[in-house]
Amino acid sequence: MEGRVPGRLPRRPDGVRPPWKDRRILLGVTGGIAAYKSIQLARDFTRLGARVEVVLTESATRFVTPLAFEAVTGGSVYRSLWSVEAAARHLALAGKADLVVVAPATADFVARSAAGRANDLLTTILLATRAPVLLAPAMNDRMWSHEQTRRNTEYLTEVLGYHLAGPISGALAIGEGEGRGRMEEPEYLLLHAGRLLGRSSRWEGRRVLVTAGPTREPLDPVRYLGNRSSGLMGYALAEAAWLRGADVTLITGPSSLVRPLGVKCVEVETAREMEAAVRTKLPGHDLQIFAAAVADFRPGQSAEGKVKRADVEADGGWMVSLVENPDVAVDTRDARREGSVTVGFALETEDLVDRAREKMERKAFDFIVANPAGEKGAGFDSATNRVTVLDRAGGVEELPRAEKWAIAWQLLDRFAGSWAPDDPDE
Ligand code: CTP
């Protein structure tokens, strides 16, 4: 799976945001030990602003209680087809869901749903719903690799169009050792669900390239010139474009952030490496976003061995002369597809709008996103940002301060303004 680095998980959600906000998610939980992780999943969906209703199978209740899900979602939890209330409700639940997620999905559940059974509330809902379905299988690795399970999952994905996330490799239940059978982690299930909620005809199949992060320009093998960019704004844009269904490539300088799920990442260090990577990858993209904080200068020479303090003292100091780096956005201009949209960023300390406009024109951007440097809660190294978006037609729009994740989502709407609108039937 692209972007999935074992052992490191994306940040847990800390606020309401699209594409989860106000969407109805029906979370089915079946009887496997991974069911305890689904409580976290239900909680995270709720924190992101989704309205979550939970359906537990009878065997799931042996591992987790309805009360736990009620407590974290504040919503209803259903168990049985045989209560008057649930019987009347199952069609309603199936009809109004934007997405059905089954986590964990046991081998038995996979078999029952592939066979089209409707012998409990959850399988009944699956037959009645027309919402997309995401399954997170969890079982023993031998059960997962068994021909029966293979055939069932193939039928669910190929014929019924269900989506699968996982299982992943790692430790199984106690005594079962290691193998491929673990349920995908809730942090990634959220994102898979997000893409099913966020995708739209306007973005599906679109190719988006994003540059992000700082660059490091070596002084010697251990020291470098760099800047304070965390890469967050670019990563947030790459993730938001992927959540909308785009095919995304991220060219990133060194960053401690977890690589966005599903995004093709090219890791570089220096401005010159970034320029080479962009030149190779850029052709054929519909949208290119230059969010990287590229160093404009690099040391004229990088020492081969570590520069020693005594040598510097003997020389009376360490004089570094800087030479110009390529301008990644400008120097790769000829590789942009005609008719594609190009976006730049500008971090300015004064005359924000005028300087950004001049930069947009000089670098042939269609949009430029200007952020104030040195302001608390905006720009570099900050979780939030306050941006002004300028376009070639003379438009100037200031977006209120918000989390970079939320800003990224809003920005993409502006950039895609000239693309065909979403299919009204969606
Ligand atoms: N940029 C780039 N390559 C560089 C410098 C900048 O691709 N060597 C891109 C950035 O990703 C951003 C835009 O150009 O989208 C503007 O970056 P900024 O650093 O604000 O502009 P500079 O050209 O460095 O201008 P100045 O130093 O005068 O502010």
Side-chain angles (χ1 to χ4, degrees):
M1 249 174 291
E2 263 155 350
R4 197 184 187 294
V5 181
R8 285 194 69 204
L9 296 172
R11 241 169 31 130
R12 283 204 175 281
D14 47 15
V16 169
R17 64 182 160 108
W20 299 272
K21 178 174 183 278
D22 296 333
R23 308 299 293 280
R24 291 179 177 276
I25 299 176
L26 197 137
L27 175 62
V29 181
T30 70
I33 182 57
Y36 80 93
K37 291 193 179 179
S38 301
I39 300 170
Q40 184 72 54
L41 181 63
R43 180 165 194 257
D44 290 348
F45 276 142
T46 308
R47 287 189 145 191
L48 286 161
R51 284 186 261 166
V52 185
E53 287 180 303
V54 180
V55 174
L56 298 180
T57 62
E58 215 40 58
S59 51
T61 59
R62 306 210 171 206
F63 295 93
V64 285
T65 66
L67 184 62
F69 287 95
E70 272 163 16
V72 296
T73 63
S76 310
V77 177
Y78 304 90
R79 296 167 58 176
S80 166
L81 197 53
W82 307 121
S83 77
V84 177
E85 189 204 16
R89 274 210 166 210
H90 79 266
L91 285 174
L93 281 172
K96 68 188 181 186
D98 293 309
L99 175 67
V100 176
V101 179
V102 181
T106 57
D108 177 62
F109 177 78
V110 166
R112 286 191 294 125
S113 46
R117 297 292 305 271
N119 57 339
D120 63 8
L121 182 57
L122 189 54
T123 44
T124 307
I125 286 171
L126 272 194
L127 282 186
T129 191
R130 294 297 171 263
V133 176
L134 174 66
L135 303 184
M139 61 196 73
N140 169 281
D141 57 337
R142 291 186 306 284
M143 293 167 81
W144 172 248
S145 59
H146 196 286
E147 186 52 33
Q148 298 269 26
T149 310
R150 300 257 53 78
R151 194 190 57 199
N152 290 336
T153 49
E154 204 175 295
Y155 184 78
L156 291 174
T157 53
E158 305 295 312
V159 180
L160 301 185
Y162 287 10
H163 302 265
L164 287 193
I168 56 172
S169 298
L172 301 169
I174 295 224
E176 306 262 336
E178 298 233 338
R180 177 149 188 230
R182 266 169 77 89
M183 188 173 88
E184 177 56 286
E185 297 298 341
E187 287 86 343
Y188 283 107
L189 291 177
L190 290 178
L191 294 167
H192 284 291
R195 181 149 149 126
L196 294 174
L197 292 168
R199 65 192 175 158
S200 73
S201 56
R202 188 176 223 197
W203 285 88
E204 279 187 314
R206 291 280 183 185
R207 297 185 64 205
V208 177
L209 180 135
V210 181
T211 71
T215 59
R216 285 181 183 172
E217 309 296 331
L219 284 157
D220 70 9
V222 294
R223 304 179 177 94
Y224 61 83
L225 290 182
N227 61 60
R228 291 177 189 278
S229 166
S230 65
L232 184 54
M233 196 65 238
Y235 278 54
L237 283 159
E239 182 181 288
W242 180 79
L243 287 170
R244 288 177 173 224
D247 171 1
V248 185
T249 298
L250 176 69
I251 299 183
T252 174
S255 166
S256 60
L257 297 170
V258 174
R259 306 290 176 251
L261 181 65
V263 168
K264 284 167 253 156
C265 287
V266 181
E267 298 182 13
V268 297
E269 285 246 337
T270 66
R272 286 188 294 178
E273 286 171 13
M274 186 172 277
E275 199 253 356
V278 171
R279 186 171 288 287
T280 312
K281 299 286 177 189
L282 190 61
H285 280 85
D286 299 290
L287 169 64
Q288 44 270 339
I289 305 175
F290 293 98
V294 186
D296 285 317
F297 302 95
R298 67 176 182 278
Q301 283 142 350
S302 159
E304 267 181 30
K306 185 182 172 198
V307 174
K308 306 300 279 180
R309 188 185 180 108
D311 296 338
V312 172
E313 270 166 13
D315 291 349
W318 184 356
M319 300 300 293
V320 178
S321 63
L322 301 177
V323 298
E324 237 178 301
N325 260 335
D327 187 310
V328 177
V330 173
D331 296 354
T332 58
R333 203 174 142 180
D334 53 338
R336 297 181 196 166
R337 182 176 72 71
E338 211 181 309
S340 63
V341 177
T342 307
V343 179
F345 274 74
L347 186 71
E348 306 288 350
T349 45
E350 53 221 64
D351 299 337
L352 186 72
V353 170
D354 289 346
R355 288 196 177 179
R357 181 174 292 117
E358 182 276 321
K359 223 170 252 184
M360 171 167 65
E361 273 152 28
R362 177 160 47 89
K363 300 198 179 199
F365 294 147
D366 300 295
F367 296 88
I368 195 155
V369 182
N371 20 187
E375 181 181 302
K376 209 167 177 300
F380 270 8
D381 217 7
S382 164
T384 58
N385 208 355
R386 185 173 71 80
V387 302
T388 307
V389 191
L390 283 71
D391 64 34
R392 284 299 270 271
V396 179
E397 190 188 358
E398 201 174 309
L399 304 185
R401 183 190 318 281
E403 288 264 316
K404 285 183 176 171
W405 304 102
I407 290 193
W409 193 265
Q410 286 176 282
L411 286 176
L412 290 182
D413 286 330
R414 312 298 189 279
F415 305 156
S418 61
W419 295 351
D422 281 333
D423 188 338
D425 295 340
E426 278 182 67

